[in-house]
Amino acid sequence: MTELIVTNFNRNFTGVSATAAGVVRVQAGRYDMALADVALPGCPAPVSRAAARQLSRAPAPGRPFVIWHVRRNPEMRAALWARDVLRLPVRIVFTSAAQRRHSAWPRWLISRMDAVIATTDAAAGYVPHVRAVVPHGVDCDRFAPAPDRAAAWRASGYPGARGIATIGRIRPEKGTDRFVAAMIAALPRHPDTTALLIGRAGPADRAFLDRLKAQVAAAGLSERLLFVGEIGADALCALMPALSLIVQLPRYEGYGMVPLEGMASGVPFVATDAGHYAEFSNGGRAGVVTREAAGAVSALLDDAGRLDAMARAARAVAVERYSVTREADGIGAVYEALWSGR
């Protein structure tokens, strides 16, 4: 008997996948649940989409229906098929992080949801049926500070005495070019520092990537500003606490998990004013939101005392305000309201 189906239809491990995985690891101990379609790290083995539909035919005792928690357009379509075409006892919860107007097709899909959870007040303004605003959380056990950051960096195998990184798809929207420009300006002042670009470029962005590599080569920084590609979730957990600084400079971000993962790992951030970054910064205690990234990065790297204080504050803010357990609690309250008919 099943209470909850959580869907994950994307075979790439994206930011949405990361947020879902953190919640599912908590939910697995709370509900009779199944993950549908694609595996997530540290989560129960997934069932097929057909098996998810079959599990939905007979809800758990005391539950009038099975909740499907969806996060993407194809997942909304599959849940609507189960509820409206197959007439299964299903209700659908959708998590929305976008801080801009959805296009017509997802707007229609979202309008058919039984409940919507927005991750921020700003996101709540763009979707109907919002039952709660529940910020995404980070797994503060999985992401945790290193006992010795310098030793962790040495163990990473990357050059230099310390490292900074940007993490995400390599494309203009994510501001990868802004990161490259900031590092070209800042790294000559900090010869002991290596900068990593962690992520991959899709086929449409290969020319963009090639231009960035050419800029780095022209600046003579190819050995200290490294394009390392995409790395696995477990490898990222190991690398994150070895970093001294996270730098995220997107032009648009719906929410943004990377600074939170860094904060939980005891790593402060420098970022543009996008996503939920200003809230994460806690008034500048845990991170710096700025239009002038190169100067902010250099100022922090030059001030070891301030950087250490921000590292401690970043961990504290992540644990106190943005734990994944707190997110699961907020989501669970929406589930209970649906099951009880409220």
Side-chain angles (χ1 to χ4, degrees):
M1 300 296 182
T2 303
E3 298 173 278
L4 173 65
I5 302 289
V6 176
T7 55
N8 180 45
F9 290 1
N10 194 331
R11 299 200 173 277
N12 295 320
F13 190 78
T14 66
V16 174
S17 309
T19 61
V23 173
V24 168
R25 286 191 288 268
V26 177
Q27 290 177 326
R30 297 183 177 185
Y31 304 103
D32 186 344
M33 66 165 293
L35 174 66
D37 201 26
V38 178
L40 290 170
C43 297
V47 302
S48 68
R49 300 185 195 187
R53 292 191 292 270
Q54 186 64 34
L55 289 170
S56 300
R57 294 183 181 278
R63 300 302 194 194
F65 46 78
V66 176
I67 289 176
W68 282 44
H69 195 149
V70 300
R71 292 173 169 85
R72 302 177 176 95
N73 290 358
E75 298 165 15
M76 285 192 279
R77 292 201 305 267
L80 287 171
W81 180 268
R83 188 192 69 187
D84 296 348
V85 178
L86 300 180
R87 302 292 183 181
L88 299 178
V90 163
R91 297 294 183 271
I92 312 168
V93 174
F94 173 69
T95 289
S96 181
Q99 296 186 29
R100 59 188 178 189
R101 182 175 169 83
H102 296 268
S103 58
W105 175 236
R107 283 205 310 273
W108 183 86
L109 291 171
I110 295 167
S111 75
R112 302 292 298 163
M113 300 295 99
D114 295 291
V116 174
I117 297 171
T119 58
T120 63
D121 290 331
Y126 291 95
V127 286
H129 312 312
V130 174
R131 293 292 191 101
V133 174
V134 181
H136 284 318
V138 61
D139 187 332
C140 294
D141 294 325
R142 188 172 171 83
F143 288 93
D148 183 332
R149 192 188 309 275
W153 179 253
R154 288 194 297 272
S156 75
Y158 292 110
R162 59 185 174 181
I164 60 181
T166 193
I167 302 170
R169 288 289 295 273
I170 294 177
R171 58 185 180 185
E173 184 178 67
K174 292 295 186 181
T176 321
D177 54 323
R178 291 175 165 180
F179 178 78
V180 168
M183 294 304 99
I184 287 174
L187 286 180
R189 292 184 52 188
H190 307 280
D192 62 342
T193 303
T194 297
L196 308 178
L197 293 96
I198 302 172
R200 66 183 181 87
D205 294 309
R206 295 285 169 75
F208 176 68
L209 173 60
D210 290 342
R211 288 196 297 273
L212 297 181
K213 288 182 175 180
Q215 291 172 18
V216 171
L221 290 170
S222 295
E223 295 184 359
R224 291 205 295 127
L225 181 45
L226 308 178
F227 294 80
V228 302
E230 196 169 40
I231 65 176
D234 290 339
L236 183 60
C237 284
L239 176 62
M240 191 72 81
L243 298 171
S244 296
L245 198 60
I246 290 288
V247 182
Q248 298 292 110
L249 307 174
R251 293 175 170 85
Y252 168 80
E253 185 68 73
Y255 187 80
M257 283 298 295
V258 171
L260 269 189
E261 292 167 347
M263 289 163 61
S265 305
V267 183
F269 67 87
V270 170
T272 48
D273 189 5
H276 210 45
Y277 296 169
E279 293 295 323
F280 296 159
S281 74
N282 194 225
R285 291 178 61 233
V288 176
V289 175
T290 181
R291 294 181 178 180
E292 218 303 286
V297 168
S298 285
L300 286 173
L301 294 180
D302 282 336
D303 191 339
R306 183 185 176 200
L307 194 61
D308 287 345
M310 289 182 68
R312 292 191 296 271
R315 171 67 181 179
V317 171
V319 171
E320 293 165 9
R321 300 189 180 188
Y322 295 103
S323 73
V324 74
T325 302
R326 186 168 180 167
E327 181 184 5
D329 291 344
I331 291 170
V334 174
Y335 294 168
E336 294 296 339
L338 284 174
W339 279 321
S340 67
R342 298 199 304 273

